[in-house]
Amino acid sequence: MKKLFTIAILFMTMNSMQAQTALPTTAKCVSEEGTLKLYLNQESKATEDEPATVMSIWLTDKGRTTKLLVTNPMAEGVWSKMTNGHAAPVDIRQIAAADKAMIIPYDNNLVYIEGCPDARNVYSYILNLSTKSVIQLPSNSGLVGFVCEDDAYIVMQSYRYNPDPEVGGRFPVLLVYDLNGKFFKELSFQK
């Protein structure tokens, strides 16, 4: 029995060591909360044939390493599925870009991801680590920050086009969502 227990401990240690060495040496730590560390790794660089960089996102927790996802440059935004300003679900294999990633400070089970796949709009996602489900937020200019009193909110920046053709141009707006992607409030800077 003691020999079996020793073999089991040795096997678990080997698995743990293998998990630790699975993190690519080129991965860069981009966020840290307690025992959780989040890494971005460039899988392939943009070229003339492949115009988007492919990134992977990794998570380590207490010596255990998990590859969360690899971006898909062919993925498109789900703007058409977003109704009433709320976020829309996205398949984890349909995250277009990941230039930034961070563990959300008010809920360490959530990861914020943003990237600019089209050199114009910033796509923003929230990944739930427990369920591996992803939502895309309906904003196009990235994260402003988080607000927390009793409830936590994420503040995003976006832009709108002026409906008056004589004035034209675009103007910024701030959009506030809860951490489930439900739209809460908008602040417009239209002149």
Side-chain angles (χ1 to χ4, degrees), residues 76-90:
E76 295 190 19
V78 292
W79 315 115
S80 63
K81 295 180 185 175
M82 297 179 190
T83 59
N84 299 323
H86 301 303
V90 178

Side-chain angles (χ1 to χ4, degrees), residues 23 27-33 35-41 56-61 66 68 100-104 110-113 127 129:
L23 183 67
K28 294 189 177 19
C29 184
V30 293
S31 184
E32 194 171 339
E33 288 285 334
T35 61
L36 299 173
K37 288 185 179 181
L38 195 64
Y39 296 82
L40 280 177
N41 187 58
S56 58
I57 300 178
W58 299 74
L59 180 74
T60 62
D61 184 20
T66 307
L68 297 176
K100 297 178 187 174
M102 69 180 292
I103 300 162
I104 293 181
L110 301 176
V111 172
Y112 172 78
I113 303 162
L127 164 65
L129 295 172

Side-chain angles (χ1 to χ4, degrees), residues 139-176:
S139 69
N140 51 24
S141 298
L143 176 70
V144 173
F146 297 95
V147 178
C148 184
E149 274 301 318
D150 295 330
D151 297 316
Y153 295 95
I154 185 169
V155 181
M156 305 296 295
Q157 184 174 337
S158 203
Y159 62 82
R160 304 270 192 267
Y161 288 99
N162 197 319
D164 183 351
E166 304 234 349
V167 176
R170 12 186 254 199
F171 59 92
V173 294
L174 295 181
L175 304 166
V176 181

